[in-house]
Amino acid sequence: MSPVLRVDELSVQFRLGTETVHAVRDVSLRVDPGEILAVVGESGSGKTATALSVLQLNPVPPCVYAGGEIRLDDRDLLRLSEKDMRAVRGNDIAMIFQDPMTSLNPLKRVGAQVAEVLHRHQGVSRASARAAVPPALAEAGIANPELRAELYPHQLSGGLRQRVMIAMALIGRPRVLIADEPTTALDVTVQARILDLLVELAQRRDMAVMLITHDLGVVAEVADRVAVMYQGRVVEDGSVSEVFGAPADDYTARLLRATPRLERV
Amino acid sequence: MAELTVRDREGSPGKSAEPRTGAGAGLLRGIATKLGTALIVLFCVATVSFFLVRLSGDPVKLLLPPEATVEQEATLRASLGLDRPLLVQYLDYLAGLPKLDFGTSLFYDQPVAEVLFGRLPATLLLAGAAMVVCLLIAIPAGIIAALRRGRATDSGVMAGVLIGQSTPPFWVGILLILVFAVQFQVLPASGYGTFAHLILPAITLAVYSVAVIARLLRSSLIDVLGSDYIRTARAKGLGPRGVIVGHGLRNASLPVVTVIGLELGSLLGGAILTEQVFSWPGIGRLTVEAITNRDFPLVQASVLFFAAAFVVVNLLVDVSYTLLDPRVRLRS
Amino acid sequence: MTMTLAPRAGGARTGMLRAVLRNRLAAGALLVLLLMVLAAVLAPLIAPHDPNAQDLLARLRPPAWHAEGDASYLLGTDQLGRDLLSRMIYGARVSLLVGAAAALLAGTLGAIIGLVSGFLGGWLDRVLMRLADVQLAFPSILLALAIVGFVGSGLWTVVLVLGFTGWVAYARVVRSEVLSLRSREFVTEARAIGVRDRTIMRRHLLPNVLAPLATIATLHVAAAIVAEASLSFLGLGVPTDIVTWGGMLSDGQLYLGTAWWIAVFPGLALMLTSLSINVTGDALRDVADPKAYRR
């Protein structure tokens, strides 16, 4: 199967004054349709910078995409104009962020925020975009979607907000979903349900998912393959059972030892 | 398709969802509380100005020429009602306030309210025009500076802001007169009545507010543009215009709205000076005249008027704040 | 929160000055201010003429570089033949004195009210903050006008009026700082070992609010200078026998058609002073409150 998204030898730098931080160094990754790739690493390992690079959402300046390719099918996203890139965001590739409280605009009804994606990409009127919102919310596991669509983010619980984010990401039927620590900010009991939802939707839609996380438990539970990042590099990449069963890299081994509950896997 | 879940998988449906009728009732109750506070503030202002004016000297002595006889003084005092005990005068004054009865102007010999409201249109026109000028300049300037942060355009806007904030409004007026009325003779230096008369005073009054609002909008927009939900909006594929108009401006306007209310004091002060420079027949100039003429009923009423304007605008700011921000419910 | 100074604030303050000087614009502004202060202090020594001396043969003389100018009157003369430059140098004295004194008075008053209000809380806090609302609703320039108009003009009347009407900003900032400091360890410990409230406020809280206080005070000096000039311009400020920039501008407006320099130079001095102080104040704030700092 050919990957839908391929990152080849990507290098990303942040130039702060005279200092240059090499956030991502020669990183290569690939995700197939229907596959969940977990990218793990400690904070500062470059996993979020890599994820944001796919959509080119790193703040420019100071961010500089110094080298490599990001291929969606045959197109190199790094070579697209900003205008063409906008057509990709939310349409071909969607993203879910860590903190659903701050990731939703506090002053707009959640339904309108979800509808905006359709209005932007499929040229539908705001009214018919709105009509498509309740089914999308329902699919993300939100009860009473018509009522909920009219609420503001602060009126929803954390889990519901993240479901809204998921509905917003998926309403445009993207082929790739990037989820950056989607459950970190949520209650433990809610985390599992959100993960289940993501897995279920990814399978049903044959969607490629790039799941950024620092939680190896999450990886073991949902991912097909895993890439381990350390200091801006991918130090190990393979199927979950391979990597967790027999880590080839010293760092991965240490990481696994530091997570006692993984011994069950 | 998956079955439609009737209950959230999170559990209780809409536990933090606030019924919208309740929000409306809360708004009304909030306004009522704020209104009560406003009335207390105005009562304090009325009281303070009443005693301040009276403790500062005998108005009769100031009104009459020095060679006036004691009898003349007594007659005038009696005709002004100033021979009564201070407390009686005060209660009398308070009793008149709800009916907008502020007494009789010593200089114009007309009811104070009539004099005051006769000058009101000119001041409202000036303030309104200045507000329009201000928003037309400040909003684009603030947005451009925020978007071009750290570049030459931004530095230019910020330099303009600093100069605007530091320049006394009456000197701006003088310079404008010098350039447009004296040098090029394209606009009148003073007077009232036509659109041409309005231009220079409106710009003069607007300068300070332009600086304050442009600066605040810039920093507030920079804050907002760095927030997570702006990143979300960009991740949806929105362009700069969609991001700013759809998500940035309204959020960035919140602190600006608050400050507009608080800056109104400086704007009113600026109006007094602007009206003086351009001989604009508004309440500001009337007040200065009343002070020089020792027309204390008129001074009292003017002070109260300016305070009321401040209080009312801030009340409107509070209300508009709740309309702009669904998270805020008025609480006292 | 805004400030995270260590309880010992002395070292931080000298650090602040150094950081302000690192900002080239602010360093330039400080230099301008320094020159202004020097000019004001040394006025009798450096002013070329007596500011009140009238030379009726040299009335409305334009600046020296002008064809009809006179080299002895560098910036020209006013309608009574008084030297503009000398009057501006003497005018700086009033402006700086009124500005600094009013800010000092308002700052002291505001700091005390803010400390008491924030630290003691309760009904006193509510009353004081309501008082702040009332004070804000009074347009301060109007209040000043009314008081000066009725009490009579005078340098110290203006200082008192501007000082007593300017305390709200100080009080609010100090109060909110104190509210956040109140539960910090060095305060709770001091309370636990029985240190008196007054001592805690003076020894432990005051040093920690000095930085924001200094920032507001700096900006307030500029506001007070402009306010004094406004009052004097309206003829309801400092008495006309004392030279003020505002008074000069008021003369100047009458001669705009014939002698632009009378209204331009004092205004320029006023703007430059206020600008320098504002730039310095902004730099102080950027240093004292990094969160407010925007590149």
Side-chain angles (χ1 to χ4, degrees), chain A residues 86 89-90 97 102-109 113 116 120-121 138 143 148 152 154-155 159 163 168 193, chain B residues 4 6 8-10 13-14 16 20 228-229 231-232 234-237 239-240 246-247 250-251 325-327:
Chain A
R86 265 181 241 147
R89 292 185 194 126
F97 300 97
T102 56
S103 296
L104 288 164
N105 187 335
L107 305 190
K108 295 183 86 161
R109 298 181 197 277
Q113 298 189 52
E116 204 171 28
R120 161 70 182 87
H121 289 293
R148 290 304 184 23
Y152 291 97
H154 73 279
Q155 296 171 316
R163 286 177 190 274
M168 187 191 297
R193 297 202 193 97
Chain B
L4 276 182
V6 178
D8 294 323
R9 295 184 219 176
E10 256 70 86
S16 56
R20 296 178 57 200
D228 286 353
Y229 56 86
R231 189 176 58 187
T232 306
R234 292 185 59 216
K236 287 181 200 174
H247 294 268
R250 184 168 163 201
N251 303 56
D325 189 345
R327 291 166 299 181

Side-chain angles (χ1 to χ4, degrees), chain B residues 180-198:
Chain B
F180 293 100
V182 176
Q183 191 66 37
F184 296 111
Q185 308 199 345
V186 285
L187 289 169
S190 66
Y192 174 70
T194 71
F195 181 69
H197 286 105
L198 183 59

Side-chain angles (χ1 to χ4, degrees), chain A residues 82-132:
Chain A
E82 171 61 21
K83 186 165 169 283
D84 290 338
M85 192 59 220
R86 265 181 241 147
V88 171
R89 292 185 194 126
N91 194 29
D92 297 303
I93 306 176
M95 187 153 179
I96 301 170
F97 300 97
Q98 177 168 353
D99 187 347
M101 181 68 236
T102 56
S103 296
L104 288 164
N105 187 335
L107 305 190
K108 295 183 86 161
R109 298 181 197 277
V110 294
Q113 298 189 52
V114 175
E116 204 171 28
V117 180
L118 284 184
H119 177 69
R120 161 70 182 87
H121 289 293
Q122 304 185 358
V124 296
S125 69
R126 286 198 188 270
S128 49
R130 259 167 201 259

Side-chain angles (χ1 to χ4, degrees), chain C residues 161-277:
Chain C
V161 168
L162 293 180
F164 276 107
T165 52
W167 59 275
V168 176
Y170 298 90
R172 287 195 166 167
V173 169
V174 168
R175 176 175 173 273
S176 73
E177 290 287 331
V178 167
L179 282 179
S180 73
L181 287 171
R182 196 164 62 170
S183 53
R184 293 261 294 273
E185 277 161 40
F186 64 93
V187 176
T188 48
E189 275 169 18
R191 277 193 134 166
I193 60 172
V195 181
R196 283 193 313 169
D197 284 354
R198 257 177 56 198
T199 316
I200 295 179
M201 283 190 257
R202 204 180 58 234
R203 292 262 179 79
H204 300 274
L205 296 177
L206 189 60
N208 282 291
V209 298
L210 279 180
L213 214 52
T215 306
I216 309 172
T218 310
L219 298 171
H220 189 214
V221 170
I225 286 177
V226 170
E228 178 274 318
S230 304
L231 291 174
S232 299
F233 176 75
L234 294 173
L236 290 164
V238 177
T240 44
D241 53 331
I242 300 176
V243 187
T244 61
W245 292 341
M248 293 173 76
L249 284 170
S250 152
D251 288 344
Q253 204 198 344
L254 301 174
Y255 295 90
L256 275 184
T258 48
W260 54 267
W261 50 92
I262 308 179
V264 168
F265 292 128
L268 212 56
L270 191 52
M271 190 198 79
L272 210 59
T273 309
S274 148
L275 185 64
S276 308
I277 298 173

Side-chain angles (χ1 to χ4, degrees), chain B residues 68-153:
Chain B
T69 63
V70 180
E71 286 76 34
Q72 285 172 314
E73 272 184 23
T75 318
L76 182 63
R77 186 166 288 127
S79 75
L80 295 177
L82 293 174
D83 51 345
R84 299 172 297 162
L86 200 58
L87 192 65
V88 175
Q89 292 182 44
Y90 174 61
L91 292 177
D92 193 38
Y93 166 67
L94 283 188
L97 289 185
K99 296 173 281 183
L100 294 181
D101 174 9
F102 306 106
T104 307
S105 159
L106 302 183
F107 183 77
Y108 292 95
D109 201 23
Q110 277 175 6
V112 164
E114 253 173 53
V115 179
L116 207 59
F117 290 125
R119 299 288 194 99
L120 188 59
T123 293
L124 287 182
L125 180 66
L126 176 61
M131 189 54 91
V132 171
V133 172
C134 170
L135 296 180
L136 282 181
I137 301 173
I139 292 176
I143 294 176
I144 291 170
L147 292 181
R148 302 242 175 276
R149 172 163 50 137
R151 293 188 231 172
T153 335

